[in-house]
Amino acid sequence: MFKQKTIEEVKSASRKSSSGTTSNAFYNNPRIRGFFYQIALVAGLLYFFGTIIGNTLANMEATGIKTGFDFLGAAAGYDVLMSLISFESTDTYGRIFVVGFLNTLLVSAIGIFFATLLGFIFGVAHFSHNWLIRKIALVYVEIFRNVPLLLQVFFWYFAVLSSLPGARQSLSLGEAVFLNVRGLYLPKLIGGDLSSLVWIALGAAVAGIFVLRRWAKKRQELTGQQFPVLKTSIAMVILFPLIVAALTGFPFTVEYPALKGFNYFGGITVIPELMSLAIALSVYTGAFIAEAVRAGVQSIPHGQTEAARSIGLRENKIMSLIIVPQAMRVIVPLLNSEYQSLVKNSTLAAAVGYPDLFNVFVGTALNQTGQAIETIFMTIIVYFVVNMVISFLMNRFNSAVALVSR
Amino acid sequence: MLALGIKDYLIKTPRYTVTFRQFLTMNVDENDSLKIVGTLVAVEKEQQPTQKRIYIMAKKALLTASILAATMTAGAVQAATLDDVKSRGTLTCGVSTGLAGFSQKDENGKWSGLDVDMCRAVAAAVLGDSEAVQYKPLTAKERFTALASGEIDMLSRNTTWTHTRDTSLGINFAGTNYYDGASFMVMKDLGVSSATELDGANACIQAGTSTELAIADYFRENGMSYKAVTFDTSDQTRQGFESGRCDFLTSDGSQLAALRIGLANPGNAVILPEVISKEPLGPVVRQGDDQWFNIVKWSLNAMIEAEEQKVTSANAADMKANGNPANKRLLGAEGELGANLGLSADWAYNIITQVGNYSESFERNVGMDSPLKLARGINASWRDGGILYAPAMR
Ligand SMILES: N[C@@H](CCC(=O)N[C@@H](CS)C(=O)NCC(=O)O)C(=O)O
């Protein structure tokens, strides 16, 4: 169908098109065509998914399954174990959704915090000069990375936390902190009238640290003199609020948990479902982060350490000033995916009954209303958005730690 | 059914040649549609001018999409469950993950219980063999999805017949095989003798049950507070109760009796006298298949009717030959009852000889001689002062 064109033909064709007297119609313009194909593709996809959704809804209608989002405004009629906002059984499914969402954020945040802590401690411990510490780091990683997470959640819940004594035989620490099979009970600070001043002082201290850091850095660049930033910061954070508290006459009362009837009331309760899930997620993800940290540190050539030594830096300074900042470029992208898995893994909450989004919404709400498509759709969106946000923040962080060439 | 803005195509398969529009209204299986897509692709490749390649690709994508969509619709059209069960040769029946007396697997892998007998009765009626059942253990949360998605043919898992479930989940309740109510179980050493003393206590409940709703109502009504600790399976719920995570366990009375005998020391636990809700438990089928609905409904009624007529597994053969007209109608010696259901004449005869009448099943699984030791109570036949009553078998 196509005969080979001679060089001359091609040349003249291109001359023609550049002089504007082209015989080629607009549909031969690659840009317009590309645009059209994209539109066609999107339209095709929309049509495809639209048909599937339409058919599903029609089928559900035909089999008598309720559809639509009206259920979000209906009273749920059941209670949830733990809620960061007030919740009663007369509240709606919409509120259940928020309750579950906040609980998911809570356990994910706790998990990410402790997993990072454990990961960095054990990751760096791998390079310790102490044989025992190195081996402990190795055993930690190997054990917790290789046992299925669900098993670990069960272990902490059913083997460890369930064997704690009952409510009336609680373990206690100075009659202020109590631990029993129903959870950990901590005293709670209740602020009086002037307590907000103390919090303002704390905020001022934190803001002051940033100012101090910038000032110290500038001074070092100009004069070469170092300022003890860390020690000063710690002192500020402790002293500022303390002084204000003393001046205002300590406007706090402490609420201690106390046994009333069946349970401890008052103070802060950390339920064992949350504890076991948070511990399991932290320890499991921590093992992966430890490996990421190890990989990051190993990626820095040994020459860097030697060079640092030769200019007379101390060992701990070599780690914090030379190795870790460079290793972060390798570690941060890995952290990103570990954090995202942690959020997704938090759906194992259902195994121990922690009321996270998946458990209260895809579990109970779906079961009571039967509206599978709607509940699952809403839940997928939430996990998707949360992970997009994590990804966004970590990418920002990544570009902050990336090597800046001067 | 589907509005298509594209030209009509002729579709040739080894089995038929139709236009695309006709094709969309036909029942096709997946293999067919795949083959058809294959054919279209092949035909168009031969004659395509290069410039039109992408245009054709878009058209093909559209076609594939429409065919897939059409197949989905076709596949979702309610199949006759009876035919499926017959051609498969077994009935798939959803039961609990393990609940003594109702549906429980022994060490040889054999299922037994009142709910299991319901599955066996339907298998006996449809297939003539009460053992031709494949059991599917389901938690409370999984059960309705499993039924709606067609994973099981029927659900027989101590499921409460509620208005909301019946009207909004796309399911139908085929009757009641145990009238129950939610209650509380506590450890004796808690020193509680009435549910009204439970203010501020922790409750162990199974997630996705009607009990979750009943207990919320009860505590609200009585101005008391509680914490609901929910678990996925009854084993976990029992463990939570035994470990002291909760002060009481709440569920339907029959399930409490079953869970109690599973405790390390059943003597330590007591069931409180209060019954806080109505929990009629019964078999469930998908909505939209009336024939199948009738089969399950009348299999249960046949067991209840047999007890009313004093027909048992032992005397059924004799009654079929020598009984009164009602006996003969039930057992298939006279009348059209089997044929009306689309079953053989001996459908009920098979149920009664292989599974027994309701009373036999009750006593064997949950009655006074079983470990559960449940009294017939309101579950007695209406002739004996209970509320079990089968519609007229004629
Ligand atoms: N009848 C109630 C409760 C049914 C239920 O699931 N009860 C639990 C009692 S703890 C059970 O039987 N569990 C057995 C299992 O999970 O396999 C309902 O339909 O929602």
Side-chain angles (χ1 to χ4, degrees):
Chain A
M1 208 195 293
F2 294 99
K3 69 176 170 60
Q4 205 77 69
K5 287 182 180 169
T6 65
I7 304 257
E8 276 318 304
E9 272 172 337
V10 173
K11 269 192 185 157
S12 74
S14 73
R15 228 177 288 127
K16 259 192 220 153
S17 68
S18 59
S19 65
T21 58
T22 171
S23 64
N24 288 354
F26 73 94
Y27 53 75
N28 275 340
N29 179 329
R31 293 228 355 233
I32 293 181
R33 265 171 52 169
F35 189 67
F36 170 75
Y37 298 145
Q38 301 222 10
I39 300 245
L41 185 69
V42 169
L45 285 175
L46 282 181
Y47 175 79
F48 178 60
F49 286 109
T51 316
I52 287 189
I53 291 172
N55 280 347
T56 309
L57 289 180
N59 282 330
M60 278 166 53
E61 185 100 23
T63 47
I65 297 175
K66 236 167 108 177
T67 53
F69 287 94
D70 290 348
F71 74 101
L72 288 177
Y78 59 92
D79 284 281
V80 287
L81 178 56
M82 187 193 114
S83 171
L84 297 175
I85 54 176
S86 76
F87 184 84
E88 280 173 43
S89 63
T90 40
D91 285 326
T92 61
Y93 283 109
R95 200 169 173 86
I96 286 258
F97 181 74
V98 178
V99 167
F101 176 53
L102 292 177
N103 284 345
T104 289
L105 287 188
L106 178 71
V107 73
S108 303
I110 298 176
I112 286 178
F113 177 78
F114 284 104
T116 313
L117 203 67
L118 287 172
F120 273 84
I121 291 175
F122 284 101
V124 172
H126 183 87
F127 299 96
S128 167
H129 295 299
N130 181 322
W131 180 86
L132 187 65
I133 291 182
R134 269 199 325 272
K135 287 297 155 202
I136 290 178
L138 182 77
V139 168
Y140 165 75
V141 167
E142 290 308 323
I143 289 186
F144 290 104
R145 201 176 49 154
N146 291 323
V147 174
L149 181 55
L150 181 61
L151 221 62
Q152 296 193 33
V153 177
F154 278 147
F155 171 78
W156 293 110
Y157 189 72
F158 286 107
V160 179
L161 297 177
S162 288
S163 49
L164 287 170
R168 289 172 192 182
Q169 296 85 33
S170 305
L171 307 171
S172 92
L173 198 83
E175 293 300 309
V177 176
F178 298 90
L179 180 67
N180 62 40
V181 68
R182 289 165 187 196
L184 179 66
Y185 296 82
L186 305 165
K188 187 158 111 187
L189 271 189
I190 299 189
D193 286 342
L194 294 171
S195 64
S196 52
L197 290 178
V198 179
W199 298 120
I200 292 173
L202 183 68
V206 173
I209 290 175
F210 280 97
V211 177
L212 181 76
R213 269 185 50 178
R214 288 188 63 167
W215 170 79
K217 208 173 163 205
K218 259 228 174 89
R219 193 177 80 141
Q220 190 185 353
E221 274 167 15
L222 287 175
T223 65
Q225 279 175 310
Q226 286 185 0
F227 187 83
V229 176
L230 187 67
K231 281 179 201 153
T232 322
S233 307
I234 294 175
M236 276 166 70
V237 168
I238 296 175
L239 287 180
F240 270 42
L242 211 62
I243 292 170
V244 174
L247 288 177
T248 52
F250 290 100
F252 290 101
T253 46
V254 183
E255 184 189 277
Y256 292 102
L259 186 63
K260 284 195 208 94
F262 298 103
N263 277 309
Y264 279 86
F265 290 95
I268 299 168
T269 312
V270 188
I271 54 173
E273 289 75 19
L274 171 60
M275 274 197 276
S276 57
L277 186 65
I279 296 175
L281 285 173
S282 312
V283 170
Y284 178 78
T285 315
F288 285 90
I289 293 180
E291 282 296 274
V293 169
R294 186 167 76 110
V297 172
Q298 265 172 355
S299 74
I300 309 303
H302 195 57
Q304 296 276 326
T305 315
E306 285 169 357
R309 277 198 195 119
S310 72
I311 59 166
L313 279 180
R314 270 181 278 123
E315 287 298 319
N316 61 345
K317 289 277 173 193
I318 296 178
M319 252 308 175
S320 65
L321 289 179
I322 308 293
I323 308 296
V324 171
Q326 297 189 71
M328 286 309 261
R329 283 179 298 145
V330 174
I331 298 174
V332 171
L334 294 173
L335 277 187
N336 186 0
S337 69
E338 289 310 330
Y339 291 168
Q340 296 191 11
S341 329
L342 189 144
V343 172
K344 286 181 273 176
N345 286 339
S346 73
T347 52
L348 286 178
V352 288
Y354 174 71
D356 79 327
L357 180 64
F358 190 76
N359 192 7
V360 297
F361 209 61
V362 175
T364 310
L366 188 162
N367 193 270
Q368 302 289 8
T369 62
Q371 302 204 257
I373 306 272
E374 293 85 347
T375 48
I376 290 176
F377 178 74
M378 287 175 69
T379 310
I380 287 178
I381 298 278
V382 165
Y383 284 96
F384 183 72
V385 169
V386 168
N387 273 347
M388 291 305 281
V389 169
I390 290 182
S391 205
F392 172 76
L393 293 177
M394 293 305 282
N395 285 336
R396 290 283 300 266
F397 184 46
N398 197 23
S399 39
V401 298
L403 267 200
V404 194
S405 51
R406 301 195 195 198
Chain B
M1 168 180 49
L2 279 165
L4 274 170
I6 53 173
K7 254 180 22 212
D8 221 357
Y9 285 84
L10 221 51
I11 291 170
K12 295 198 180 87
T13 80
R15 299 223 316 256
Y16 41 74
T17 303
V18 290
T19 67
F20 184 64
R21 274 173 209 286
Q22 285 173 326
F23 169 74
L24 286 183
T25 60
M26 295 171 48
N27 273 331
V28 277
D29 65 25
E30 277 165 53
N31 291 340
D32 273 339
S33 52
L34 288 182
K35 246 180 264 154
I36 293 161
V37 176
T39 321
L40 285 172
V41 172
V43 168
E44 310 221 19
K45 244 188 204 132
E46 279 167 19
Q47 19 165 282
Q48 59 179 316
T50 323
Q51 302 97 312
K52 287 192 179 159
R53 187 178 289 153
I54 311 241
Y55 172 60
I56 286 173
M57 258 165 63
K59 265 201 305 198
K60 266 188 312 213
L62 264 178
L63 270 175
T64 319
S66 321
I67 292 170
L68 280 177
T71 321
M72 279 186 59
T73 322
V77 165
Q78 281 291 324
T81 314
L82 177 61
D83 297 338
D84 283 354
V85 172
K86 275 187 180 158
S87 68
R88 206 186 306 127
T90 54
L91 170 80
T92 33
C93 194
V95 292
S96 79
T97 61
L99 186 69
F102 285 83
S103 41
Q104 193 184 29
K105 197 157 116 172
D106 68 12
E107 54 277 9
N108 303 322
K110 194 169 150 52
W111 284 88
S112 66
L114 192 72
D115 283 341
V116 164
D117 278 354
M118 194 59 241
C119 308
R120 294 177 60 223
V122 173
V126 173
L127 302 165
D129 178 5
S130 69
E131 299 309 305
V133 186
Q134 214 191 337
Y135 296 97
K136 184 96 198 148
L138 298 168
T139 66
K141 280 202 298 200
E142 294 162 348
R143 56 187 158 173
F144 300 121
T145 322
L147 182 64
S149 70
E151 198 180 331
I152 53 178
D153 300 316
M154 63 179 280
L155 177 71
S156 181
R157 186 204 172 283
N158 47 1
T159 298
T160 304
W161 184 350
T162 70
H163 182 287
T164 308
R165 287 175 179 175
D166 205 355
T167 53
S168 62
L169 300 188
I171 59 177
N172 275 334
F173 284 83
T176 302
N177 69 341
Y178 192 95
Y179 289 93
D180 210 341
S183 285
F184 305 99
M185 174 160 74
V186 295
M187 288 295 181
K188 269 189 186 143
D189 59 16
L190 199 65
V192 166
S193 57
S194 157
T196 54
E197 299 163 37
L198 289 173
D199 192 13
N202 283 9
C204 278
I205 322 173
Q206 190 155 340
T209 59
S210 48
T211 325
E212 275 190 282
L213 307 174
I215 184 183
D217 280 358
Y218 180 79
F219 274 76
R220 191 149 61 94
E221 186 183 325
N222 289 286
M224 305 192 293
S225 72
Y226 74 106
K227 280 261 165 255
V229 187
T230 54
F231 296 90
D232 266 1
T233 69
S234 54
D235 263 350
Q236 291 170 355
T237 317
R238 196 200 62 228
Q239 269 181 36
F241 175 61
E242 276 190 301
S243 74
R245 177 70 182 93
C246 334
D247 299 293
F248 65 93
L249 192 160
T250 176
S251 187
D252 304 342
S254 65
Q255 288 136 43
L256 291 180
L259 289 172
R260 187 167 167 272
I261 59 171
L263 294 176
N265 194 341
N268 286 348
V270 281
I271 295 173
L272 298 179
E274 284 86 357
V275 176
I276 63 166
S277 64
K278 290 201 290 187
E279 310 282 342
L281 314 176
V284 198
V285 294
R286 257 185 308 284
Q287 197 169 306
D289 186 347
D290 284 356
Q291 184 188 29
W292 185 247
F293 177 44
N294 282 338
I295 290 173
V296 175
K297 176 166 62 186
W298 285 99
S299 295
L300 172 59
N301 284 330
M303 290 174 75
I304 297 172
E305 173 78 19
E307 181 186 2
E308 289 177 16
Q309 295 186 11
K310 298 196 167 50
V311 176
T312 65
S313 54
N315 68 15
D318 181 39
M319 301 286 244
K320 186 177 182 178
N322 310 315
N324 63 27
N327 301 148
K328 289 191 165 171
R329 224 175 12 249
L330 174 68
L331 297 168
E334 286 173 10
E336 293 288 298
L337 298 189
N340 293 345
L341 286 172
L343 300 176
S344 66
D346 56 3
W347 65 285
Y349 177 81
N350 289 338
I351 295 178
I352 293 151
T353 50
Q354 296 179 23
V355 184
N357 67 24
Y358 184 84
S359 159
E360 289 176 86
S361 172
F362 188 98
E363 296 306 335
R364 179 169 66 230
N365 295 304
V366 298
M368 285 321 237
D369 297 331
S370 76
L372 264 73
K373 300 204 183 0
L374 293 175
R376 280 295 289 270
I378 54 171
N379 288 298
S381 167
W382 62 282
R383 290 182 188 273
D384 306 323
I387 58 175
L388 240 53
Y389 185 108
M393 273 277 178
R394 55 168 68 252

